[in-house]
């Protein structure tokens, strides 16, 4: 059967009917009869899985401080470390994450979500040690790629693992927990970079310890995951209803049939009883079935927007930017980015299951646009990164207290707005929107989209800024955000309080935007 299906062919491709449950006959959230999960157990599950987010955040942010000190250590005779080398070192993680995101979804479907988290932890530990022992730019890039593969895997599997274990009423907050761990990891990376910076340690030892410590949380999580279960949705499809019921009993704190049986029946209504299709068939299903295709468009578009808005350009290069502006302590100033991100994500945790995903996303993009315009305005008023003040030049651009204050204000508005919506919602979206039989492929495609554009931004940001200036670069980010608001307004539906099996029905016949 080709992708140019007739209407009858589309019916053949559709997932089994969900009409066996009264809850699923309407796309509106009706979580009134849902049992209450036992807090301690579900929080333990989320905190354990969230350590991957801590690793994710630490490994992506620690390189920004290390770039200030590793130049002499990695220089070889006749080849000092250049702007291009720094861009490649910073972007190598994104390259590895692109591959990690591509393979993680398929591996999670085949081997289980828990097993893939184990694999990511091993990669984090090996990559951290590799970086700490690197002696050349090439070796550092390879070590960053190893870490990047684990980052890509973790960025896909942790939101998916938490989503499939969480009750609908708490799923948004629990997935935001993993994003909060990312921001804490980034903040911790900046703090470690400051604590271990010269003169406390030599420049060579400083960056080695900073990057090497990234492996410690991975060892902790390896131990904790021994006691964690597989998700009931994966168990139901691969091991049967009895295994899924056992995990549900742990999550909800009871083995009462009156509680567990309806939950298992809900899984049965939403998960095909036939064996999981092969990769080729999953690709056909995700492109040919209208609801799956809409989910793919929304998930990939939000992941593109998350990277093309410029947030990670600030995360990777804010110490470099502030140092070229003549700021005395650029890493400490850059901590404002990480601290603001962490605090705002904490507020997002409290709001997302009450205010709703759509409302928070639209307001998030509005605030980001304002913050980016302020930053762009300031960069247009100073000679930042003109030919005589390039990244490679020792010359710095002068900036007044007023200009720095407005720049920091714009940065805080941008980062806090990002954290309240766009920072978390794309990961939540891709975990919620795809049906079980194409969830691995769909989340893999969305995660790969994220890391492809992360790679483009990380590799090209410094060079683009040197060519056209930071003012035009940040103005371009603002234009992207404005376009993202238009897309979200017309295509992103509200899913607050809906079970994962309901959301598939929401996109079956349209975009679900009311």
């Amino acid at each position: 059967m080709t992708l140019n299906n007739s209407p009858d062919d589309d019916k053949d491709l559709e997932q089994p009917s969900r009409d066996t449950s009264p809850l699923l006959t309407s796309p509106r959230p009706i979580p009134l009869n849902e049992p209450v999960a036992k807090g301690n157990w579900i929080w333990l599950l989320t905190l354990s899985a969230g350590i991957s987010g801590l690793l994710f955040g630490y490994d992506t942010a620690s390189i920004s401080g290390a770039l200030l000190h590793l130049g002499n250590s990695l220089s070889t005779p006749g080849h000092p470390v250049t702007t291009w080398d720094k861009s490649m070192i910073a972007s190598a993680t994104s390259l590895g994450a692109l591959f990690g995101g591509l393979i993680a979804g398929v591996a999670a479907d085949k081997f289980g979500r828990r097993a893939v988290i184990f694999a990511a932890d091993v990669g984090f530990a090996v990559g951290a040690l590799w970086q700490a022992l690197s002696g050349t730019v090439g070796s550092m890039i390879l070590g960053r790629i190893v870490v990047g593969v684990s980052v890509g895997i973790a960025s896909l599997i942790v939101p998916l693992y938490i989503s499939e274990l969480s009750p609908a009423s708490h799923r948004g907050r629990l997935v935001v927990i993993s994003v909060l761990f990312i921001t804490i990891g980034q903040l911790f990376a900046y703090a470690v970079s400051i604590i271990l910076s010269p003169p406390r340690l030599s420049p060579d030892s400083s960056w080695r310890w900073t990057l090497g410590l990234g492996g410690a949380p991975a060892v902790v999580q390896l131990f904790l995951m021994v006691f964690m279960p597989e998700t009931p949705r994966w168990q139901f499809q691969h091991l049967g209803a009895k295994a899924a019921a056992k995990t549900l009993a742990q999550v909800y704190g009871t083995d009462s049939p009156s509680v567990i049986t309806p939950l298992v029946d809900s899984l049965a209504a939403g998960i095909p009883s036939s064996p999981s299709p092969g990769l080729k068939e999953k690709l056909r299903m995700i492109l040919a079935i209208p609801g799956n295709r809409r989910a793919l468009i929304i998930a990939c578009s939000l992941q593109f927007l998350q990277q093309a808005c410029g947030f990670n350009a600030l995360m990777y290069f804010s110490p470099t930017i502030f140092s070229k502006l003549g700021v005395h302590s650029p890493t400490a100033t850059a901590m404002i980015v990480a601290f603001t991100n962490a605090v705002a994500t904490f507020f997002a945790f409290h709001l997302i299951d009450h205010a709703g995903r759509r409302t928070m996303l639209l307001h998030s993009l509005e605030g980001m646009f304002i913050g980016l315009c302020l930053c762009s305005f300031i960069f247009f008023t100073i000679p930042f990164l003109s030919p005589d003040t390039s990244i490679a030049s020792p010359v710095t651009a002068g900036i007044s207290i007023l200009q720095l204050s407005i720049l920091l204000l714009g940065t805080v508005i941008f980062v806090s707005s990002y954290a309240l919506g766009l920072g978390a919602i794309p990961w939540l979206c891709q975990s919620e929107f795809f049906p079980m039989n194409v969830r691995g492929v769909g989340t893999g495609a969305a995660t790969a989209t994220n890391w492809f554009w992360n790679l483009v931004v990380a590799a090209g940001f410094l060079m683009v800024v040197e060519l056209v200036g930071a003012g035009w670069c940040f103005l371009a980010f603002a234009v992207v955000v404005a376009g993202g608001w238009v897309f979200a307004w017309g295509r992103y539906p509200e899913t607050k309080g809906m079970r994962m099996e309901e959301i598939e029905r929401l996109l079956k016949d349209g975009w679900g935007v009311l």
Side-chain angles (χ1 to χ4, degrees):
M1 189 180 298
T2 65
L3 296 182
N4 298 318
N5 299 305
S6 67
D8 291 337
D9 290 335
D10 282 343
K11 291 180 181 179
D12 293 336
L13 287 170
E14 291 177 2
Q15 272 66 339
S17 171
R18 307 294 185 266
D19 292 339
T20 55
S21 169
L23 179 65
L24 300 175
T25 59
S26 167
R28 306 313 306 153
I30 315 174
L32 300 178
N33 297 321
E34 183 184 7
V36 178
K38 293 297 182 181
N40 292 341
W41 178 249
I42 197 70
W43 286 105
L44 177 61
L45 292 172
T46 304
L47 291 173
S48 299
I51 295 177
S52 289
L54 182 71
L55 289 160
F56 177 168
Y58 187 92
D59 282 310
T60 53
S62 59
I63 193 62
S64 62
L67 285 175
L68 297 175
H69 306 299
L70 59 75
N72 293 332
S73 301
L74 299 181
S75 296
T76 56
H79 184 81
V81 176
T82 64
T83 299
W84 174 253
D85 291 331
K86 291 183 177 181
S87 295
M88 290 299 98
I89 290 170
S91 61
T93 303
S94 305
L95 178 62
L98 173 60
F99 289 112
L102 284 171
I103 64 175
V106 177
D109 278 350
K110 184 174 180 61
F111 302 109
R113 284 54 167 145
R114 182 169 168 266
V116 175
I117 292 177
F118 271 111
D121 285 333
V122 172
F124 277 123
V126 171
L129 182 61
W130 190 325
Q131 291 175 91
L133 298 177
S134 293
T136 65
V137 170
S139 177
M140 173 62 79
I141 290 174
L142 288 176
R144 296 293 294 169
I145 289 175
V146 172
V147 167
V149 172
S150 295
V151 168
I153 292 172
S155 65
L156 180 150
I157 199 61
V158 173
L160 180 59
Y161 182 78
I162 295 172
S163 291
E164 291 190 352
L165 278 165
S166 304
S169 59
H170 292 71
R171 187 172 61 246
R173 278 175 286 175
L174 293 177
V175 171
V176 171
I177 284 275
S178 68
V179 180
L180 181 60
F181 267 85
I182 295 173
T183 67
I184 292 172
Q186 292 166 341
L187 185 62
F188 186 59
Y190 281 126
V192 169
S193 180
I194 292 173
I195 293 170
L196 300 181
S197 63
R200 293 182 181 89
L201 294 177
S202 68
D204 182 62
S205 298
S206 172
W207 68 264
R208 293 186 189 277
W209 276 102
T210 299
L211 297 179
L213 285 173
V219 177
V220 175
Q221 190 180 47
L222 276 171
F223 173 76
L224 289 176
M225 288 304 296
V226 172
F227 305 99
M228 298 296 105
E230 184 52 78
T231 72
R233 286 173 172 84
W234 188 88
Q235 289 175 322
F236 184 90
Q237 188 172 42
H238 294 267
L239 303 177
K242 184 177 292 187
K246 183 177 179 180
T247 298
L248 287 168
Q250 288 179 299
V251 171
Y252 288 92
T254 178
D255 56 3
S256 170
S258 63
V259 174
I260 301 303
T261 300
L263 293 171
V264 175
D265 289 344
S266 178
L267 294 183
I271 299 174
S273 58
S274 57
S276 178
L279 178 59
K280 184 177 181 180
E281 178 65 12
K282 289 180 180 180
L283 291 172
R284 185 174 70 88
M285 292 171 67
I286 205 167
L287 294 174
I289 298 174
N292 293 349
R293 192 165 59 245
R294 293 185 189 100
L296 184 68
I297 291 171
I298 293 172
C300 289
S301 296
L302 290 187
Q303 292 290 19
F304 160 77
L305 184 60
Q306 190 187 75
Q307 295 303 323
C309 72
F311 173 80
N312 279 316
L314 278 178
M315 188 56 61
Y316 295 151
F317 299 114
S318 51
T320 301
I321 291 173
F322 286 120
S323 69
K324 294 305 298 181
L325 292 175
V327 175
H328 178 67
S329 181
T331 302
T333 306
M335 279 191 70
I336 295 173
V337 176
F339 180 75
T340 302
N341 192 22
V343 171
T345 303
F346 178 77
F347 282 102
F349 161 76
H350 288 285
L351 291 172
I352 195 163
D353 281 320
H354 299 290
R357 284 74 152 144
R358 176 178 166 86
T359 299
M360 290 184 66
L361 179 61
L362 291 174
H363 289 322
S364 169
L365 293 168
E366 291 161 0
M368 291 168 63
F369 179 80
I370 294 171
L372 285 168
C373 287
L374 281 175
C375 292
S376 176
F377 169 74
I378 290 301
F379 285 130
F380 275 124
T381 66
I382 56 178
F384 179 49
L385 297 185
S386 57
D388 61 333
T389 56
S390 67
I391 291 292
S393 168
V395 180
T396 58
I399 184 170
S400 69
I401 295 297
L402 177 61
Q403 288 172 319
L404 179 61
S405 298
I406 297 175
L407 177 62
L408 290 176
L409 175 62
T411 300
V412 168
I413 293 173
F414 169 65
V415 172
S416 59
S417 299
Y418 170 91
L420 285 170
L422 191 62
I425 287 175
W427 301 111
L428 180 58
C429 161
Q430 72 176 44
S431 299
E432 290 184 329
F433 277 40
F434 293 105
M436 183 67 188
N437 56 3
V438 294
R439 189 167 294 155
V441 171
T443 54
T447 302
T449 300
N450 179 289
W451 288 109
F452 172 79
W453 288 104
N454 183 294
L455 174 62
V456 171
V457 171
F461 175 73
L462 291 181
M463 290 178 289
V464 171
V465 168
E466 284 191 343
L467 288 173
V468 302
W472 286 110
C473 192
F474 277 79
L475 184 60
F477 289 146
V479 171
V480 170
V481 168
W485 187 94
V486 174
F487 173 84
W489 182 82
R491 290 291 181 264
Y492 187 79
E494 183 56 73
T495 60
K496 179 180 70 172
M498 299 177 70
R499 291 181 180 172
M500 295 177 76
E501 288 71 32
E502 280 185 281
I503 298 172
E504 175 194 350
R505 193 174 183 86
L506 180 66
L507 296 175
K508 182 177 180 182
D509 299 315
W511 295 97
V513 178
L514 301 179

